[in-house]
mmCIF file with all atom_site columns, all heavy atoms in Angstrom:
data_model
loop_
_atom_site.group_PDB
_atom_site.id
_atom_site.type_symbol
_atom_site.label_atom_id
_atom_site.label_alt_id
_atom_site.label_comp_id
_atom_site.label_asym_id
_atom_site.label_entity_id
_atom_site.label_seq_id
_atom_site.pdbx_PDB_ins_code
_atom_site.Cartn_x
_atom_site.Cartn_y
_atom_site.Cartn_z
_atom_site.occupancy
_atom_site.B_iso_or_equiv
_atom_site.pdbx_formal_charge
_atom_site.auth_seq_id
_atom_site.auth_comp_id
_atom_site.auth_asym_id
_atom_site.auth_atom_id
_atom_site.pdbx_PDB_model_num
ATOM 1   N N   . ASP A 1 15  ? 0.466   5.322  -18.326 1.00 97.00 ? 15  ASP A N   1
ATOM 2   C CA  . ASP A 1 15  ? 1.392   5.111  -17.250 1.00 97.00 ? 15  ASP A CA  1
ATOM 3   C C   . ASP A 1 15  ? 1.979   6.476  -16.744 1.00 97.00 ? 15  ASP A C   1
ATOM 4   O O   . ASP A 1 15  ? 2.314   6.567  -15.557 1.00 97.00 ? 15  ASP A O   1
ATOM 5   C CB  . ASP A 1 15  ? 2.599   4.190  -17.758 1.00 97.00 ? 15  ASP A CB  1
ATOM 6   C CG  . ASP A 1 15  ? 2.042   2.813  -17.975 1.00 97.00 ? 15  ASP A CG  1
ATOM 7   O OD1 . ASP A 1 15  ? 0.912   2.540  -17.545 1.00 97.00 ? 15  ASP A OD1 1
ATOM 8   O OD2 . ASP A 1 15  ? 2.782   1.969  -18.539 1.00 97.00 ? 15  ASP A OD2 1
ATOM 9   N N   . GLY A 1 65  ? -4.157  6.003  -26.009 1.00 97.00 ? 65  GLY A N   1
ATOM 10  C CA  . GLY A 1 65  ? -4.024  7.464  -26.430 1.00 97.00 ? 65  GLY A CA  1
ATOM 11  C C   . GLY A 1 65  ? -2.789  8.111  -25.805 1.00 97.00 ? 65  GLY A C   1
ATOM 12  O O   . GLY A 1 65  ? -2.246  7.681  -24.835 1.00 97.00 ? 65  GLY A O   1
ATOM 13  N N   . ASP A 1 111 ? -29.016 26.510 -13.894 1.00 96.00 ? 111 ASP A N   1
ATOM 14  C CA  . ASP A 1 111 ? -29.083 27.107 -15.195 1.00 96.00 ? 111 ASP A CA  1
ATOM 15  C C   . ASP A 1 111 ? -28.906 26.091 -16.320 1.00 96.00 ? 111 ASP A C   1
ATOM 16  O O   . ASP A 1 111 ? -29.616 26.057 -17.311 1.00 96.00 ? 111 ASP A O   1
ATOM 17  C CB  . ASP A 1 111 ? -28.021 28.229 -15.223 1.00 96.00 ? 111 ASP A CB  1
ATOM 18  C CG  . ASP A 1 111 ? -28.171 29.095 -16.453 1.00 96.00 ? 111 ASP A CG  1
ATOM 19  O OD1 . ASP A 1 111 ? -29.306 29.462 -16.739 1.00 96.00 ? 111 ASP A OD1 1
ATOM 20  O OD2 . ASP A 1 111 ? -27.152 29.360 -17.113 1.00 96.00 ? 111 ASP A OD2 1
ATOM 21  N N   . TYR A 1 223 ? -2.201  32.837 -20.333 1.00 98.00 ? 223 TYR A N   1
ATOM 22  C CA  . TYR A 1 223 ? -2.888  34.134 -20.330 1.00 98.00 ? 223 TYR A CA  1
ATOM 23  C C   . TYR A 1 223 ? -3.137  34.580 -18.910 1.00 98.00 ? 223 TYR A C   1
ATOM 24  O O   . TYR A 1 223 ? -3.397  33.691 -18.058 1.00 98.00 ? 223 TYR A O   1
ATOM 25  C CB  . TYR A 1 223 ? -4.177  34.031 -21.087 1.00 98.00 ? 223 TYR A CB  1
ATOM 26  C CG  . TYR A 1 223 ? -3.973  33.634 -22.556 1.00 98.00 ? 223 TYR A CG  1
ATOM 27  C CD1 . TYR A 1 223 ? -3.840  32.303 -22.888 1.00 98.00 ? 223 TYR A CD1 1
ATOM 28  C CD2 . TYR A 1 223 ? -3.929  34.567 -23.544 1.00 98.00 ? 223 TYR A CD2 1
ATOM 29  C CE1 . TYR A 1 223 ? -3.615  31.882 -24.204 1.00 98.00 ? 223 TYR A CE1 1
ATOM 30  C CE2 . TYR A 1 223 ? -3.779  34.218 -24.883 1.00 98.00 ? 223 TYR A CE2 1
ATOM 31  C CZ  . TYR A 1 223 ? -3.585  32.806 -25.182 1.00 98.00 ? 223 TYR A CZ  1
ATOM 32  O OH  . TYR A 1 223 ? -3.394  32.445 -26.479 1.00 98.00 ? 223 TYR A OH  1
ATOM 33  N N   . LYS A 1 238 ? 13.656  22.094 -7.546  1.00 76.00 ? 238 LYS A N   1
ATOM 34  C CA  . LYS A 1 238 ? 14.830  21.790 -6.772  1.00 76.00 ? 238 LYS A CA  1
ATOM 35  C C   . LYS A 1 238 ? 14.695  20.449 -6.059  1.00 76.00 ? 238 LYS A C   1
ATOM 36  O O   . LYS A 1 238 ? 15.685  19.716 -5.921  1.00 76.00 ? 238 LYS A O   1
ATOM 37  C CB  . LYS A 1 238 ? 14.996  22.852 -5.717  1.00 76.00 ? 238 LYS A CB  1
ATOM 38  C CG  . LYS A 1 238 ? 15.284  24.234 -6.286  1.00 76.00 ? 238 LYS A CG  1
ATOM 39  C CD  . LYS A 1 238 ? 15.456  25.277 -5.210  1.00 76.00 ? 238 LYS A CD  1
ATOM 40  C CE  . LYS A 1 238 ? 14.816  26.608 -5.629  1.00 76.00 ? 238 LYS A CE  1
ATOM 41  N NZ  . LYS A 1 238 ? 13.852  27.113 -4.807  1.00 76.00 ? 238 LYS A NZ  1
ATOM 42  N N   . HIS A 1 251 ? 5.342   1.336  7.958   1.00 95.00 ? 251 HIS A N   1
ATOM 43  C CA  . HIS A 1 251 ? 4.587   2.496  7.418   1.00 95.00 ? 251 HIS A CA  1
ATOM 44  C C   . HIS A 1 251 ? 5.567   3.676  7.223   1.00 95.00 ? 251 HIS A C   1
ATOM 45  O O   . HIS A 1 251 ? 6.596   3.764  7.870   1.00 95.00 ? 251 HIS A O   1
ATOM 46  C CB  . HIS A 1 251 ? 3.533   2.935  8.513   1.00 95.00 ? 251 HIS A CB  1
ATOM 47  C CG  . HIS A 1 251 ? 2.555   1.869  8.793   1.00 95.00 ? 251 HIS A CG  1
ATOM 48  N ND1 . HIS A 1 251 ? 2.690   0.991  9.867   1.00 95.00 ? 251 HIS A ND1 1
ATOM 49  C CD2 . HIS A 1 251 ? 1.398   1.478  8.137   1.00 95.00 ? 251 HIS A CD2 1
ATOM 50  C CE1 . HIS A 1 251 ? 1.656   0.139  9.829   1.00 95.00 ? 251 HIS A CE1 1
ATOM 51  N NE2 . HIS A 1 251 ? 0.899   0.449  8.837   1.00 95.00 ? 251 HIS A NE2 1
ATOM 52  N N   . ILE A 1 290 ? 12.289  42.723 13.205  1.00 96.00 ? 290 ILE A N   1
ATOM 53  C CA  . ILE A 1 290 ? 11.159  41.954 13.767  1.00 96.00 ? 290 ILE A CA  1
ATOM 54  C C   . ILE A 1 290 ? 10.806  42.566 15.149  1.00 96.00 ? 290 ILE A C   1
ATOM 55  O O   . ILE A 1 290 ? 11.519  42.368 16.131  1.00 96.00 ? 290 ILE A O   1
ATOM 56  C CB  . ILE A 1 290 ? 11.519  40.497 13.841  1.00 96.00 ? 290 ILE A CB  1
ATOM 57  C CG1 . ILE A 1 290 ? 11.809  39.908 12.426  1.00 96.00 ? 290 ILE A CG1 1
ATOM 58  C CG2 . ILE A 1 290 ? 10.426  39.695 14.495  1.00 96.00 ? 290 ILE A CG2 1
ATOM 59  C CD1 . ILE A 1 290 ? 12.290  38.462 12.429  1.00 96.00 ? 290 ILE A CD1 1
ATOM 60  N N   . GLY A 1 317 ? 11.690  38.277 24.146  1.00 97.00 ? 317 GLY A N   1
ATOM 61  C CA  . GLY A 1 317 ? 10.849  39.339 24.660  1.00 97.00 ? 317 GLY A CA  1
ATOM 62  C C   . GLY A 1 317 ? 10.097  40.129 23.614  1.00 97.00 ? 317 GLY A C   1
ATOM 63  O O   . GLY A 1 317 ? 9.641   41.209 23.751  1.00 97.00 ? 317 GLY A O   1
ATOM 64  N N   . ILE A 1 344 ? 3.589   28.901 9.132   1.00 98.00 ? 344 ILE A N   1
ATOM 65  C CA  . ILE A 1 344 ? 4.227   27.636 9.325   1.00 98.00 ? 344 ILE A CA  1
ATOM 66  C C   . ILE A 1 344 ? 3.423   26.590 8.564   1.00 98.00 ? 344 ILE A C   1
ATOM 67  O O   . ILE A 1 344 ? 2.230   26.417 8.805   1.00 98.00 ? 344 ILE A O   1
ATOM 68  C CB  . ILE A 1 344 ? 4.362   27.290 10.761  1.00 98.00 ? 344 ILE A CB  1
ATOM 69  C CG1 . ILE A 1 344 ? 5.085   28.389 11.524  1.00 98.00 ? 344 ILE A CG1 1
ATOM 70  C CG2 . ILE A 1 344 ? 5.139   25.993 10.965  1.00 98.00 ? 344 ILE A CG2 1
ATOM 71  C CD1 . ILE A 1 344 ? 5.092   28.243 13.015  1.00 98.00 ? 344 ILE A CD1 1
ATOM 72  N N   . SER A 1 464 ? -12.056 7.422  24.925  1.00 96.00 ? 464 SER A N   1
ATOM 73  C CA  . SER A 1 464 ? -11.662 8.854  25.013  1.00 96.00 ? 464 SER A CA  1
ATOM 74  C C   . SER A 1 464 ? -10.388 8.940  25.826  1.00 96.00 ? 464 SER A C   1
ATOM 75  O O   . SER A 1 464 ? -10.058 8.125  26.618  1.00 96.00 ? 464 SER A O   1
ATOM 76  C CB  . SER A 1 464 ? -12.815 9.557  25.781  1.00 96.00 ? 464 SER A CB  1
ATOM 77  O OG  . SER A 1 464 ? -12.607 10.967 25.769  1.00 96.00 ? 464 SER A OG  1
ATOM 78  N N   . TYR A 1 474 ? 1.851   22.630 27.083  1.00 97.00 ? 474 TYR A N   1
ATOM 79  C CA  . TYR A 1 474 ? 0.373   22.648 26.787  1.00 97.00 ? 474 TYR A CA  1
ATOM 80  C C   . TYR A 1 474 ? 0.168   22.430 25.298  1.00 97.00 ? 474 TYR A C   1
ATOM 81  O O   . TYR A 1 474 ? -0.674  21.621 24.888  1.00 97.00 ? 474 TYR A O   1
ATOM 82  C CB  . TYR A 1 474 ? -0.250  23.936 27.260  1.00 97.00 ? 474 TYR A CB  1
ATOM 83  C CG  . TYR A 1 474 ? -1.568  24.289 26.748  1.00 97.00 ? 474 TYR A CG  1
ATOM 84  C CD1 . TYR A 1 474 ? -2.581  23.329 26.564  1.00 97.00 ? 474 TYR A CD1 1
ATOM 85  C CD2 . TYR A 1 474 ? -1.894  25.584 26.304  1.00 97.00 ? 474 TYR A CD2 1
ATOM 86  C CE1 . TYR A 1 474 ? -3.802  23.707 26.011  1.00 97.00 ? 474 TYR A CE1 1
ATOM 87  C CE2 . TYR A 1 474 ? -3.104  25.940 25.756  1.00 97.00 ? 474 TYR A CE2 1
ATOM 88  C CZ  . TYR A 1 474 ? -4.017  24.988 25.581  1.00 97.00 ? 474 TYR A CZ  1
ATOM 89  O OH  . TYR A 1 474 ? -5.257  25.266 25.015  1.00 97.00 ? 474 TYR A OH  1
ATOM 90  N N   . SER A 1 488 ? -5.834  6.914  15.482  1.00 98.00 ? 488 SER A N   1
ATOM 91  C CA  . SER A 1 488 ? -6.549  5.780  16.029  1.00 98.00 ? 488 SER A CA  1
ATOM 92  C C   . SER A 1 488 ? -8.052  5.994  16.087  1.00 98.00 ? 488 SER A C   1
ATOM 93  O O   . SER A 1 488 ? -8.849  5.059  16.496  1.00 98.00 ? 488 SER A O   1
ATOM 94  C CB  . SER A 1 488 ? -6.038  5.516  17.397  1.00 98.00 ? 488 SER A CB  1
ATOM 95  O OG  . SER A 1 488 ? -6.463  6.603  18.306  1.00 98.00 ? 488 SER A OG  1
ATOM 96  N N   . GLN A 1 509 ? -13.702 10.002 34.991  1.00 86.00 ? 509 GLN A N   1
ATOM 97  C CA  . GLN A 1 509 ? -14.339 8.837  35.698  1.00 86.00 ? 509 GLN A CA  1
ATOM 98  C C   . GLN A 1 509 ? -13.291 7.754  35.674  1.00 86.00 ? 509 GLN A C   1
ATOM 99  O O   . GLN A 1 509 ? -12.255 7.853  35.077  1.00 86.00 ? 509 GLN A O   1
ATOM 100 C CB  . GLN A 1 509 ? -15.618 8.427  34.871  1.00 86.00 ? 509 GLN A CB  1
ATOM 101 C CG  . GLN A 1 509 ? -15.307 8.299  33.380  1.00 86.00 ? 509 GLN A CG  1
ATOM 102 C CD  . GLN A 1 509 ? -16.591 7.926  32.559  1.00 86.00 ? 509 GLN A CD  1
ATOM 103 O OE1 . GLN A 1 509 ? -17.670 7.865  33.128  1.00 86.00 ? 509 GLN A OE1 1
ATOM 104 N NE2 . GLN A 1 509 ? -16.409 7.704  31.323  1.00 86.00 ? 509 GLN A NE2 1
#
Side-chain angles (χ1 to χ4, degrees):
D15 292 349
D111 191 43
Y223 300 83
K238 295 179 217 121
H251 300 95
I290 299 176
I344 307 175
S464 187
Y474 161 45
S488 70
Q509 51 182 4

